[in-house]
């Protein structure tokens, strides 16, 4: 009989490794003739029965190759043994073949799974851009954004005479802070989603919807908190010079600010998502179009909402419960937005670490609002209101485009954040930032060259619409253009330095640089514009329309 199972421990261990087929027993090596030409091994039988093996034999017994079942049967004369041997051999051979096939299939399946799961979709190749292509993609969104700021300036020029703006002048302090939300939140959202789209993180529908839901929830909680803090800053800046505090005005500012920030961020966030998805489908770099379009509608929507909401709530000033309930309702929704934003890894990080730039940027913009409040309340400089959203908006739009492009370049360059690489320049020179051969220097030159012609178009558009209280004299236009060029020149240089500096210290420029840059744009723009009006007034450029 063939010993396959119970007597298996009495058989020698056969090592089937390639190159040496040996029987690990004292009997010596396995006869190579045991191997058939097709790789199969003839069964081995014991010439003696197990009962004939003496315990003292030490396992030494003779192994015989079964080359012919008929020969074996003739030797033993036992036909039944032959049938049993054949059946056992065939059954075991068949079982072994099936097991080998299953193992092979499983191995191939595992290999396939490893390959399919290990490979992630490659991000799309970066777009080849020349100065002409950059300018062509930027100029139309830039003009669209500029006309949006012109419309916002026209609105501000009208509403500055409304009762709520004259009785509660602290509303002017809210204007740069809330208009700055497009830089703190919407432009940051646009830059973050543009980078994600460029590096392939929004190629699948599942990834795209996760990014959309997480980012919308994130900007809602940020808008609510920033709106609340902006109202506190407006109350403080309004209370310090006057020396007296009015609780009714404070609650009105809080309700108006929070409501405006919430609704404006929701509307602009949805618009930004649509723009970025459409840009990728038509083959346009979202970095060039998303942030200007965010600004084109951002100022107009935010300022219109602020004027309308503050006027409506001002009518309810005698109601002791209306304004506090509005504030409480929007603040109570914050935990819901936090829960949604925490589910997405990319927004979870911003939710925990992205508050510092947003809050500091709001404080910087509020200082610009204080300058605006103290300037436009002077009848001699009432014409400043119509130009404030224009100069602030243009500067913020251009620097946001540049910062978004630099951030995308750093992400696609493959260097990890925080890597002390000498290529990450800590303090670039102005010549390197504007006259270098890199694509970022090229884009900086293109954006800077758009400032003067763009502002001339916007200034004469305002003049043709008979907006504002200032005539466009050569002195005023010259002072205005110098202020605008100086503002954008400083901002573009700071963008180059700040993006690389933050990247080298492990901070994502998409989340940290744009709020600071747009807030500085608001402060520089408002300050330079106020200085422009004072210089024009000082040198005698006091035309009949000035301050009328």
């Amino acid at each position: 009989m063939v010993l396959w199972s119970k007597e298996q421990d009495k058989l020698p261990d056969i090592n089937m490794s390639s190159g040496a087929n040996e029987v690990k027993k004292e009997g010596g090596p396995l006869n190579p003739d045991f191997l058939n030409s097709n790789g199969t091994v003839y069964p081995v039988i014991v010439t003696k029965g197990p009962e004939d093996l003496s315990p003292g034999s030490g396992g030494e017994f003779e192994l015989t190759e079964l080359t012919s079942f008929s020969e074996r049967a003739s030797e033993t004369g036992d036909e039944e043994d032959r049938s049993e041997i054949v059946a056992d051999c065939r059954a075991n051979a068949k079982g072994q073949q099936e097991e080998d096939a299953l193992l092979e299939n499983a191995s191939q399946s595992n290999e396939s799974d490893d390959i399919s799961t290990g490979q992630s979709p490659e991000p799309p190749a970066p777009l080849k851009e020349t100065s002409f292509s950059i300018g062509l993609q930027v100029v139309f969104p830039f003009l669209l954004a500029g006309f949006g700021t012109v419309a916002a300036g026209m609105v501000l020029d009208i509403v500055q005479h409304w009762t709520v703006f004259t009785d509660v002048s602290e509303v002017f302090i809210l204007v740069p802070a809330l208009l700055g939300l497009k830089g703190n939140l919407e432009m940051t959202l646009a830059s973050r989603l543009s980078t994600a789209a460029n590096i392939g993180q929004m190629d699948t529908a599942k990834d795209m919807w996760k990014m959309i839901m997480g980012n919308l929830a994130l900007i809602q909680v940020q808008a609510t908190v920033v709106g609340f803090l902006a109202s506190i800053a407006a109350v403080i800046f309004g209370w310090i010079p006057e020396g007296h505090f009015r609780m009714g005005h404070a609650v009105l500012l809080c309700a108006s600010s929070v409501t405006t920030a919430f609704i404006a961020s929701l509307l602009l966030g949805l618009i930004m998502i649509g723009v970025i998805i459409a840009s990728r489908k038509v083959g346009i770099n979202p970095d060039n179009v998303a942030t200007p379009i965010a600004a084109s509608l951002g100022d107009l929507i935010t300022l219109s909402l602020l004027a309308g909401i503050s006027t409506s709530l001002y009518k309810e000033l005698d109601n002791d419960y209306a304004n506090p309930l509005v504030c409480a309702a929007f603040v109570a929704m914050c935990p819901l937005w936090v829960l949604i934003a925490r589910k997405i890894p990319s927004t979870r990080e911003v939710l925990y670490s992205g508050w510092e730039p947003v809050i500091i940027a709001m404080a910087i913009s509020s200082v610009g609002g204080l300058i605006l409040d103290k300037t436009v309340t002077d009848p001699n400089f009432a014409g400043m209101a119509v130009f404030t959203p224009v100069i602030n908006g243009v500067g913020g739009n251009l620097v946001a485009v540049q910062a978004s492009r630099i951030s995308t370049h750093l992400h696609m360059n493959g260097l990890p954040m925080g890597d002390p690489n000498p290529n990450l320049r800590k303090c670039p020179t102005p010549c390197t930032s504007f006259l270098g051969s890199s694509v970022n220097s090229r884009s900086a030159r293109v954006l800077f060259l758009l400032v003067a012609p763009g502002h001339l178009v916007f200034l004469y558009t305002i003049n043709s619409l008979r907006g504002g209280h200032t005539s466009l004299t050569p002195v005023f236009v010259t002072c205005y253009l110098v202020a605008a060029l100086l503002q954008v020149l400083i901002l573009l240089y700071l963008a180059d330095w700040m993006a690389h500096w933050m990247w080298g210290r492990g901070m994502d420029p998409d989340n940290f640089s744009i709020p600071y840059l747009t807030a500085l744009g608001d402060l520089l723009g408002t300050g330079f514009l106020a200085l422009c009006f004072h210089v024009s007034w000082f040198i005698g450029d006091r035309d009949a329309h000035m301050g009328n």
Side-chain angles (χ1 to χ4, degrees), residues 115 191 194 237 466 505 515:
I115 293 174
S191 177
S194 297
F237 287 146
R466 300 184 180 277
R505 281 155 181 77

Side-chain angles (χ1 to χ4, degrees), residues 56 67 75 91 112 207 260 340 343 419 486 507:
T67 58
E75 290 179 0
S112 176
D207 293 340
T260 301
I340 297 175
K343 294 181 179 180
D419 185 12
L486 186 60
M507 296 183 289

Side-chain angles (χ1 to χ4, degrees), residues 399 434 448 483-496 517 520 524 528:
V399 75
F434 293 97
F448 182 74
L485 288 170
L486 186 60
Q487 174 208 26
V488 175
L489 186 71
I490 295 173
L491 290 176
L492 291 177
Y493 174 72
L494 288 177
D496 191 19
L517 292 170
L520 288 172
L524 292 174
F528 287 158

